[in-house]
Amino acid sequence: MSFTQVYRFQDLNGYESVISKANSDMHFMGFGRILLNAGQTYEYEVTGEEHALVLQSGDFTAWVEYNGEVVLDGVKGTRTNVYDDLPTALYIPPKAKVKLYSENGMEARVFTAWCEEGNTPYFCPPENVEEGEPGEYIYKRKYRFIFGQPGKHNDSITKKLIVGESVSVPGGWIGFPAHRHDYWTEKECVLDEIFSFQVTSGSPDGKGGLYQHGYDLDENGKKIWDEVNVIEESNTAIALPSGFHTTVAMAGSVVYLLWGLAGKDEKVYRVQFDERYSWLEGCLY
């Protein structure tokens, strides 16, 4: 049995559903991808879920109609790469109609959360993304809050989704010590989480890799299960329905991690860190 599920994109044109209720153990959220060719227009309607669309590369012009009105009228986004450029994003509620046009082609990745009512459509340009660089040594990384958890940047935009990005240093960790959000306690709450990756390195072909570590502990700190997924491609997403999880780049590699979370009802965020490593100062902040 695998506790973390790895999905690879099929590179379909238009919208591709990657993680859904039908092919995963996710209870509250899913994941998709949009690929458009140069000069292509794509239209779709959101039903029974909210979307957080994060541009990965290329350009788009977007129109979003909601409650019979065009709320976003020709907003534009461009991005060269995910390592150096801040993201452009769209929040799209249920019952909204979306039109995307790309002059030069684009890739976007989309988190979905199942709900019948959402908030007002929203365009998030790069200047409205909060970026920080916490940690020390190989634990240092960039974080980017696009639609943050309660109390963080842009926390009121989405109804349920929490979305952001992290970028490692070469050979560095993202999210160490590992964290979990499986139970309703004072320290954690129940949340689904999905990661999507891109990797690069200084090698002649530019290819890199990462290790995605998942495990769980009983109340006495004994391992219940333990697994590692080796990911060496940038067309990958991973569903994390349970357990502690953390990511580390292979030596010389830089990892881009696009992360999204959602729970059942109201937006909440409490995570339990692996307290066995609480002595290691400088990891998180």
Side-chain angles (χ1 to χ4, degrees):
M1 177 180 179
S2 178
F3 290 87
T4 52
Q5 301 162 280
V6 179
Y7 299 80
R8 288 181 172 81
F9 311 147
Q10 300 179 54
D11 294 335
L12 302 179
N13 184 262
Y15 184 89
E16 175 187 349
S17 177
V18 178
I19 301 174
S20 66
K21 289 181 181 178
N23 67 0
S24 75
D25 294 325
M26 296 283 99
H27 298 290
F28 313 120
M29 68 181 302
F31 182 79
R33 187 192 195 210
I34 296 176
L35 281 181
L36 299 184
N37 298 322
Q40 184 178 356
T41 298
Y42 181 72
E43 298 183 51
Y44 71 103
E45 185 171 355
V46 179
T47 304
E49 57 190 26
E50 63 177 4
H51 286 191
L53 183 157
V54 183
L55 184 64
Q56 302 289 284
S57 63
D59 67 89
F60 71 71
T61 304
W63 298 261
V64 178
E65 180 182 328
Y66 185 58
N67 289 336
E69 298 182 5
V70 177
V71 179
L72 301 180
D73 189 4
V75 293
K76 297 179 181 292
T78 61
R79 196 175 195 182
T80 302
N81 69 76
V82 297
Y83 306 103
D84 302 314
D85 297 345
L86 293 175
T88 297
L90 294 173
Y91 168 68
I92 307 162
K95 306 173 187 177
K97 296 179 180 179
V98 185
K99 179 180 177 180
L100 294 169
Y101 168 75
S102 181
E103 182 177 357
N104 300 296
M106 64 163 280
E107 177 193 0
R109 301 186 184 184
V110 184
F111 291 108
T112 68
W114 300 304
C115 57
E116 295 301 325
E117 300 294 334
N119 296 332
T120 304
Y122 184 83
F123 172 66
C124 183
E127 56 267 28
N128 197 17
V129 173
E130 179 186 298
E131 185 176 49
E133 200 167 7
E136 299 176 5
Y137 311 116
I138 60 171
Y139 311 107
K140 190 174 185 178
R141 78 282 182 201
K142 294 179 182 177
Y143 75 79
R144 299 163 180 162
F145 286 139
I146 303 172
F147 305 123
Q149 63 262 37
K152 299 295 184 179
H153 186 68
N154 280 347
D155 62 347
S156 64
I157 302 300
T158 63
K159 192 79 171 181
K160 298 178 69 174
L161 285 165
I162 299 168
V163 176
E165 300 180 337
S166 298
V167 180
S168 76
V169 297
W173 291 85
I174 297 175
F176 190 89
H179 70 272
R180 181 187 68 189
H181 30 78
D182 294 349
Y183 304 99
W184 288 102
T185 71
E186 292 183 357
K187 293 185 177 181
E188 67 183 300
C189 62
V190 179
L191 295 167
D192 283 349
E193 188 161 19
I194 292 173
F195 289 168
S196 184
F197 301 104
Q198 294 197 46
V199 292
T200 190
S201 74
S203 67
D205 60 9
K207 293 184 177 179
L210 64 98
Y211 301 103
Q212 178 61 43
H213 186 201
Y215 61 94
D216 206 357
L217 306 170
D218 65 18
E219 58 184 11
N220 298 314
K222 183 179 179 180
K223 283 278 180 72
I224 302 171
W225 57 269
D226 193 354
E227 62 188 24
V228 174
N229 288 285
V230 180
I231 295 172
E232 298 176 294
E233 298 173 328
S234 292
N235 63 343
T236 307
I238 186 166
L240 302 162
S242 63
F244 290 93
H245 34 272
T246 186
T247 307
V248 62
M250 293 182 183
S253 294
V254 174
V255 171
Y256 161 84
L257 193 163
L258 175 65
W259 44 266
L261 305 99
K264 182 179 180 180
D265 297 312
E266 75 279 1
K267 188 187 298 184
V268 292
Y269 182 84
R270 296 193 304 274
V271 301
Q272 171 67 59
F273 290 98
D274 188 341
E275 294 179 345
R276 299 177 303 166
Y277 298 97
S278 59
W279 59 272
L280 193 53
E281 297 180 3
C283 291
L284 290 175
Y285 305 107

